[in-house]
């Protein structure tokens, strides 16, 4: 067992800086109430527990954790205890569009039903105050609202007026000014509701969220050498014949860490370069593409080897964005941008593998076989990290230059003298 002074250094083991080990508030309160002074036997058992946590069996079980983003692209983050909810009302259009379909349809219907009922009650109240309800059938009575003898007939008048049906049996006459003003107000309110609700319905139906269902990602990432560089690669594909316009891809690394000052940063996001400086992140996604992240000194995987990969805990978020070709002009379809997401954890990364080709030339055209989209094959790949390989290469170059200088020095006395 480690010494007592080493127990403090092992207070934050490697797996403690992962997505799954963010402390829960309820567990924190419980442990705070039941905290006692540890006994020597408790310290010994705690040290043994820390040693057991480093075993491969425990590490494999800890990998079954809560994902930040699911494989289908759903973010597993719930927002709670929002105090200032008035901000949602300031952007009521987006709030209505973001509702689920059952609540959206409920709000859509209630906007019309409420206005019909409210104006129907006002029509009935006006007719009742002016005596039109009690003088039905009197030819000498100058009615303000004709043929309104109850609330139901007033409700029908409200629906007919707002929807411009106009059957002709019930109507507002020119015998009262308040009836004309009421009819004008209902027409304006009805037009505003039509513009807002029809606009919300159009935007919600035309949102290309379902387009992401036909953008697929490989289930695993692979790490192998490409052009004498260690690279992390995954594959993306589009199942539709209508392609994405101006498709761009980017990646984020989600990993918790502890700073040198002892601050714990949960779910820290860092960017993975997928060719932003060379334009390789812009895709012409006609056939499946293998996206490559070169592991260099600027990569967070610079000092990660095949052995350390099994001890790490992180999550790679892949985001593919583009404009749906079939929905409109790219210059005008700012709202038609489609986004597909997926994620890879450390146990979904295969070290020393490559993707099998899934394209072939048949009958004068390129044929894509999506049954081979997920297939990989093993290749010879060093288990060392990219940093170790780079240092080894520099060392070999230094030894080669030193050996060349040594041979040049030995051959110099044997050179023939000049004329």
């Amino acid at each position: 067992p480690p010494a007592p002074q080493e127990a403090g250094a092992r207070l934050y083991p490697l797996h403690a800086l992962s997505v799954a080990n963010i402390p829960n508030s309820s567990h924190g309160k419980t442990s705070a109430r039941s905290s006692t002074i540890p006994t020597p036997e408790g310290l010994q058992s705690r040290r043994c527990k820390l040693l057991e946590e480093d075993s491969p069996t425990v590490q494999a079980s800890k990998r079954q954790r809560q994902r930040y983003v699911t494989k289908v692209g759903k973010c597993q983050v719930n927002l709670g205890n929002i105090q200032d909810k008035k901000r949602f009302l300031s952007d009521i259009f987006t709030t209505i569009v973001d509702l689920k379909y059952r609540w959206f349809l409920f709000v859509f219907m209630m906007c019309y039903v409420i206005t019909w009922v409210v104006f129907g009650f006002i029509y009935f109240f006006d007719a009742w105050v002016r005596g039109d309800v009690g003088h039905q059938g009197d030819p000498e009575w100058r009615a303000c609202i004709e043929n309104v003898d109850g609330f139901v007939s007033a409700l029908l008048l409200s629906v007919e007026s707002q929807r411009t049906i106009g059957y002709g049996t019930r109507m507002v006459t020119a015998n009262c000014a308040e009836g004309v003003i009421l009819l004008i107000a209902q027409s304006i309110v009805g037009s505003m509701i039509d513009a807002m609700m029809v606009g919300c319905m159009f935007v919600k139906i035309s949102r290309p969220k379902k387009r992401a269902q036909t953008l697929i990602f490989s289930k695993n990432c692979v790490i192998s050498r490409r052009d004498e560089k260690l690279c992390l690669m995954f594959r993306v594909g589009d199942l539709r014949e209508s392609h994405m316009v101006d498709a761009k891809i980017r990646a984020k690394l989600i990993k918790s860490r502890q700073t040198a000052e002892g601050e714990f940063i949960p779910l820290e996001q860092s960017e993975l370069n997928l060719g932003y400086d060379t334009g390789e992140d812009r895709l012409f996604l006609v056939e499946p593409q293998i996206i490559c992240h070169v592991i260099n000194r600027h990569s967070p995987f610079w000092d990660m080897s095949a052995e350390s990969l099994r001890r790490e805990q992180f999550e790679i978020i892949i985001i593919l964005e583009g404009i749906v070709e079939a929905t409109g002009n790219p210059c005008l379809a700012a709202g038609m941008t489609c986004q597909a997401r997926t994620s890879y954890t450390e146990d979904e990364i295969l070290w020393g593998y490559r993707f099998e080709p899934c394209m072939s030339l048949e009958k004068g055209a390129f044929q894509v076989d999506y049954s081979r989209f997920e297939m990989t094959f093993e290749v010879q790949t060093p288990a060392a990290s990219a940093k170790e390989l780079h240092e080894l290469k520099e060392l070999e170059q230094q030894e080669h230059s030193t050996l060349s200088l040594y041979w040049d020095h030995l051959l110099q006395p044997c050179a023939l003298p000049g004329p």
Side-chain angles (χ1 to χ4, degrees):
Q5 55 268 24
E6 295 180 0
R10 297 174 61 85
L11 190 58
Y12 293 96
L14 185 60
H15 59 263
L17 309 180
S18 62
V19 177
N21 293 276
I22 298 177
N24 194 326
S25 59
S26 59
H27 294 292
K29 294 178 181 178
T30 306
S31 61
R33 297 193 194 101
S34 60
S35 60
T36 56
I37 300 175
T39 60
E41 292 79 4
L43 291 175
Q44 181 68 21
S45 62
R46 187 177 301 176
R47 288 195 293 267
C48 295
K49 184 178 180 180
L50 288 174
L51 288 175
E52 293 174 357
E53 286 176 346
D54 291 338
S55 62
T57 305
V58 177
Q59 289 179 1
S61 64
K62 286 181 178 293
R63 287 174 181 171
Q64 302 296 330
R65 64 178 187 274
Q66 180 63 50
R67 301 177 77 105
Y68 190 73
V69 175
T70 62
K71 296 295 289 184
V72 297
K74 183 179 180 181
C75 297
Q76 298 291 87
V77 178
N78 297 325
L79 305 179
N81 297 327
I82 300 176
Q83 302 298 329
D84 191 7
K85 295 185 179 181
K86 296 180 180 179
R87 298 178 181 268
F88 295 99
L89 297 178
S90 62
D91 188 12
I92 188 65
F93 185 85
T94 306
T95 302
I96 294 176
V97 171
D98 287 340
L99 291 176
K100 295 182 179 180
Y101 267 101
R102 55 178 178 268
W103 292 110
F104 177 79
L105 295 176
F106 176 77
V107 172
F108 185 88
M109 293 185 296
M110 291 306 296
C111 285
Y112 288 101
V113 171
I114 290 175
T115 54
W116 294 340
V117 172
V118 169
F119 281 97
F121 178 79
I122 297 176
Y123 282 128
F124 172 73
F125 181 77
D126 186 29
W128 178 74
V129 169
R130 296 185 62 87
D132 297 339
V133 178
H135 291 81
Q136 294 294 322
D138 188 357
E140 298 181 356
W141 179 259
R142 300 182 62 183
C144 177
I145 303 176
E146 292 184 355
N147 296 325
V148 173
D149 55 357
F151 177 73
V152 177
S153 59
L155 180 61
L156 289 175
L157 173 63
S158 176
V159 175
E160 294 171 10
S161 301
Q162 185 168 335
R163 304 311 305 162
T164 64
I165 298 174
Y167 291 116
T169 57
R170 283 172 291 271
M171 62 179 178
V172 178
T173 64
N175 296 327
C176 58
E178 66 272 13
V180 177
I181 296 174
L182 185 60
L183 183 61
I184 294 174
Q186 186 177 10
S187 300
I188 295 174
V189 172
S191 300
M192 294 173 62
I193 292 176
D194 289 341
M196 181 174 181
M197 299 312 299
V198 173
C200 291
M201 178 66 76
F202 174 76
V203 171
K204 190 169 184 66
I205 292 176
S206 61
R207 294 174 78 178
K209 281 189 174 182
K210 297 301 181 181
R211 179 64 174 88
Q213 302 296 327
T214 53
L215 298 173
I216 59 176
F217 301 86
S218 59
K219 294 182 180 179
N220 296 291
C221 283
V222 298
I223 293 180
S224 59
R225 303 194 72 175
R226 174 182 281 188
D227 296 330
E228 299 183 354
K229 297 178 182 179
L230 203 62
C231 300
L232 183 141
M233 293 170 285
F234 59 93
R235 186 145 60 183
V236 298
D238 189 0
L239 301 180
R240 288 190 180 273
E241 294 184 357
S242 58
H243 308 296
M244 301 288 292
V245 179
D246 194 21
K248 293 176 288 186
I249 193 167
R250 52 196 176 97
K252 292 281 188 179
L253 176 65
I254 309 296
K255 183 180 179 181
S256 303
R257 71 180 183 91
Q258 187 180 9
T259 64
E261 295 79 12
E263 179 187 4
F264 179 71
I265 304 177
L267 306 179
E268 186 183 38
Q269 300 184 13
S270 57
E271 191 77 18
L272 294 181
N273 189 4
L274 299 181
Y276 176 78
D277 49 351
T278 59
E280 296 179 0
D281 61 330
R282 296 180 177 270
L283 306 178
F284 183 53
L285 200 58
V286 179
E287 81 283 351
Q289 299 280 337
I290 297 178
I291 311 301
C292 176
H293 165 67
V294 180
I295 304 178
N296 51 24
R297 61 178 66 256
H298 303 291
S299 172
F301 305 129
W302 173 242
D303 54 354
M304 185 185 69
S305 62
E307 181 66 26
S308 62
L309 175 62
R310 293 193 290 267
R311 298 193 303 266
E312 291 282 347
Q313 284 199 356
F314 56 85
E315 189 169 346
I316 302 174
I317 311 299
I318 308 299
I319 303 172
L320 176 62
E321 294 178 326
I323 299 174
V324 181
E325 184 183 41
T327 57
N329 191 347
C331 299
L332 302 177
M336 300 295 109
T337 301
C338 175
Q339 185 181 96
R341 296 183 296 264
T342 191
S343 68
Y344 299 100
T345 56
E346 71 285 344
D347 53 350
E348 295 172 344
I349 298 178
L350 306 178
W351 190 287
Y353 284 81
R354 287 179 186 167
F355 288 105
E356 289 192 2
C358 58
M359 286 191 62
S360 60
L361 182 61
E362 297 180 3
K363 298 180 181 180
F366 292 99
Q367 182 72 22
V368 178
D369 185 7
Y370 274 101
S371 63
R372 307 176 65 87
F373 184 80
E374 303 286 350
M375 292 185 179
T376 58
F377 62 96
E378 191 172 1
V379 295
Q380 185 177 1
T381 305
S385 64
K387 180 181 179 180
E388 295 172 346
L389 294 176
H390 179 73
E391 293 175 351
L392 182 61
K393 186 177 181 179
E394 287 185 346
L395 183 60
E396 290 178 353
Q397 292 178 353
Q398 291 178 2
E399 291 179 353
H400 183 269
S401 60
T402 303
L403 187 59
S404 299
L405 292 174
Y406 177 74
W407 283 107
D408 292 343
H409 179 71
L410 288 179
L411 296 175
Q412 186 175 3
C414 300
L416 295 176

